[in-house]
Amino acid sequence: RIHRAILIGMGVLPLEFADGRRAADLGIDGSETLDLEGLGSPVKPRQPVTLVIRRADGRVDRAPLVVRIAPAIESEYYRHGGILPYVLRQILSR
């Protein structure tokens, strides 16, 4: 839980494999391009998304993920790029 909260606080979207896989199971070596499909706006708690892995040899693999944002305020923190930008915008809007 604390790692998830830290990621959100820094504006990084926490994701979890939906099917029990681990990152090591995907054979990622750093030559891939990674994309997310299905990420809505606003980001919703437990929203399903798909990791698209485009490999250097042209193969494309997909892995189901789940957005690990819990309360609605975390979605706002993420939308603003983290807690600090969120708080600053709140202060400046007064």
Side-chain angles (χ1 to χ4, degrees):
R1 229 176 49 210
I2 190 146
H3 297 293
R4 184 184 60 77
I6 290 169
L7 288 172
I8 294 166
M10 294 187 303
V12 177
L13 184 64
L15 300 165
E16 180 179 82
F17 289 102
D19 59 3
R21 283 195 231 184
R22 301 172 316 152
D25 299 335
L26 298 175
I28 293 174
D29 64 16
S31 64
E32 304 83 6
T33 300
L34 306 174
D35 294 303
L36 286 177
E37 288 180 345
L39 192 60
S41 181
V43 176
K44 296 180 179 73
R46 307 291 301 165
Q47 177 180 352
V49 295
T50 302
L51 174 65
V52 180
I53 306 161
R54 300 181 200 295
R55 302 194 185 272
D57 66 4
R59 288 181 298 132
V60 176
D61 294 315
R62 288 180 161 66
L65 305 175
V66 176
V67 173
R68 287 305 313 262
I69 288 179
I73 190 65
E74 288 182 351
S75 180
E76 284 299 300
Y77 293 158
Y78 174 72
R79 188 172 71 79
H80 285 272
I83 291 174
L84 182 58
Y86 173 83
V87 170
L88 290 174
R89 286 186 179 105
Q90 294 299 311
I91 291 170
L92 292 173
S93 68
R94 293 180 184 173

